[in-house]
Structures are given as C-alpha cells and as structure tokens.
Amino acid sequence: MSAVSSKDKSSICEIVQIIGTKWGFAVIAELYKEPKRFNRLQRAIGAIQKQSLTDTLRLLEQNGLVRRDVFPTVPVTVEYSLTEKGLEFHAVIEAMNRWAAKWGKANHPIGSL
C-alpha cells in the first residue's frame, strides 16, 4: 500500500465533505436527471426539510458541483443544475452503487465473511 500525499488527502477530504452530507447524493442524483427549481427538487427528494435542502444546495454550489441560475421574472425564478464538475461527480455515485451491490450488507450480512 502506498503513502497518500498531502495533496491527495486534501482532495479526498473535499470529496468526503460533499458525500458526508445527508442529502448531497440525493440532490446530485435528482439534478443529474434534469435542472430543477427549488420546490420541484424538494418534492422529488421527498422527506428533506426546506432548510436542509437550502444548506445542501449552498454547500454543493460552494464546491462547484451545482449552478444556481436566477431568471428575472415576477416572482424571481431560480433553477438549479449540475456543473461539469457535478456531472462528473455522478460517476462517483455510480461507482459507489456498484461497490455496494457487490459488497453491501445485503450480499454480505455481518458475520458471514
């Protein structure tokens, strides 16, 4: 096993900060389907509270995964979409899904290994 450089640790910490949020995956997965306005995104996710969605969107926007577009309508329309970085992050989610399908608890109950 090789040593992890401080640059790699910093990059890994950034990823862990994003995936460590309770709703980050759900927001990225929904926005991967198509851009959405706030209320539509909240309905699509389901059990998420308004403040939790707001906080998650801000974090993802600060990390460059989500773009917030404001349209000058009455009332103002705000639409969220994934940036190029966010679209590529979806591959991380797909890889984790493959890993979970192979190694998750459903396939390997605790004590069976």
Side-chain angles (χ1 to χ4, degrees), residues 8 11 15 21 28 33 35 41 43 48 61 67 77-78 88 97 102 104 112:
D8 290 340
S11 298
I15 293 168
T21 65
I28 291 170
K33 296 174 187 174
L41 182 58
R43 281 191 302 271
I48 191 169
E61 185 179 5
R67 178 178 35 254
T77 302
V78 178
E88 286 190 25
N97 280 332
K102 181 175 181 180
S112 70

Side-chain angles (χ1 to χ4, degrees), residues 18-30:
I18 295 165
I19 65 175
T21 65
K22 182 175 181 178
W23 298 104
F25 280 118
V27 170
I28 291 170
E30 283 302 321

